């Protein structure tokens, strides 16, 4: 079964296999996934609203004051979590005022829970916005998606909205220091694990030079049924190959349980 959409602003804390106990912040509508990608493995399923232009949907998004009114009691509470993560039903950086909100959440964290990290899980398309680019440095754990090394694989894996250029995203990622990349590897009809794909992908990782790559395979049902899990041993081999050719540390994460 695919995951149900998050209905509210906060969710969790959920136990992330990559990052620990995470309190999620969902800035997108509760009724549908609003994203600039429509990834073949997205655990929220397909969306009909795959766009960079969210102007027609802002009335279904929480106002900044509503988000802060949810976050403040959570950071002042006794509920345990290791990080606060901007994620949720789509692409968080499409939220109008995202940079302003990050500054406010950082302020609340500094005030009430300075030992907690603030993370962003993003597909990188919001980096086209200068304000979003400028706020990335305020985050403790900015993590951006890169699942492909070529335009063709990018379109196959991520099914982006019109006018999103793969090479432009790579250059935007390369322009920001100290980011992390997250990569989903899949086998099956849509595999991104062939020798040629991994070579092309490694070239992009080398160009971006992130702090780390976080690599994993699918562990939940996916909207595209033609993809399969990459076995852990194969994932380790790919990680070693990418690490060898780029010098960038690659951490792999296995299936749940
Ligand atoms: S970017 Fe994230 S939310 Fe958007 S379709 Fe891909 S996996 Fe789903």
């Amino acid at each position: 079964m695919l995951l149900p959409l998050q209905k509210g602003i906060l969710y969790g804390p959920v136990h992330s296999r990559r990052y620990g106990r995470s309190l999620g912040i969902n800035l997108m509508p509760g009724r549908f996934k609003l994203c600039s990608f429509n990834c073949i493995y997205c655990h929220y399923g397909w969306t009909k609203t795959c766009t960079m232009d969210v102007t027609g949907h802002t009335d279904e998004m929480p106002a900044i004051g509503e988000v802060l009114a949810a976050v403040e009691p959570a950071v002042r509470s006794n509920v345990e979590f290791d990080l606060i993560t901007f994620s949720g039903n789509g692409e968080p950086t499409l939220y109008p005022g995202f940079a302003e909100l990050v500054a406010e959440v950082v302020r609340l964290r500094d005030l009430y829970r300075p030992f907690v990290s603030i993370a962003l899980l993003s597909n990188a398309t919001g980096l086209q916005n200068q304000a979003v680019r400028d706020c990335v440095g305020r985050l403790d754990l900015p993590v951006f998606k890169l699942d492909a090394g070529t335009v063709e694989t990018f379109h196959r894996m991520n099914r982006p909205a019109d006018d999103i250029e793969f090479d432009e995203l790579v250059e935007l990622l390369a322009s920001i220091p100290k980011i992390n990349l997250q990569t989903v590897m899949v086998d099956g009809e849509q595999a991104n694990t062939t020798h040629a794909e991994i070579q092309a992908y490694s070239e992009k990782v080398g160009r971006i030079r992130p702090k780390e790559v976080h690599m994993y395979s699918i562990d939940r049902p996916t909207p595209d049924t033609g993809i399969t899990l990459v076995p852990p041993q194969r994932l380790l081999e790919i990680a070693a190959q990418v690490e060898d050719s780029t010098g960038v540390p690659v951490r792999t994460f296995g299936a749940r349980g």
Side-chain angles (χ1 to χ4, degrees), residues 217-228:
S217 191
I218 51 175
D219 73 337
R220 289 192 170 101
T222 57
D224 186 310
T225 51
I227 58 178
T228 57

Side-chain angles (χ1 to χ4, degrees), residues 130-214:
Q130 179 73 49
V132 172
R133 285 204 297 283
D134 289 345
C135 83
V136 170
R138 308 190 78 134
L139 299 158
D140 304 293
L141 186 61
V143 185
F144 294 98
K145 185 180 291 300
L146 182 77
D147 297 329
T150 62
V151 177
E152 295 72 30
T153 307
F154 170 61
H155 280 267
R156 215 161 33 76
M157 289 284 292
N158 303 120
R159 301 163 54 117
D162 292 344
D163 301 329
I164 295 176
E165 301 286 341
F166 179 60
D167 290 337
E168 187 186 346
L169 286 186
V170 170
E171 290 311 306
L172 284 168
L173 288 167
S175 73
I176 303 177
K178 297 182 186 161
I179 60 166
N180 300 281
L181 293 180
Q182 61 171 343
T183 299
V184 175
M185 289 290 172
V186 297
D187 274 343
E189 291 159 20
Q190 308 280 15
N192 60 347
T193 52
T194 63
H195 182 68
E197 296 283 0
I198 298 302
Q199 262 194 331
Y201 165 82
S202 297
E203 280 169 24
K204 300 301 183 204
V205 172
R207 168 78 188 127
I208 296 167
R209 301 224 62 77
K211 264 168 67 181
E212 283 185 343
V213 173
H214 304 160

Side-chain angles (χ1 to χ4, degrees), residues 33 35 37-39 41-42 44 88 90-91 123 145:
K33 183 178 89 178
C35 195
F37 283 1
N38 219 352
C39 302
Y41 55 79
C42 182
Y44 289 126
E91 174 50 37
N123 66 18
K145 185 180 291 300

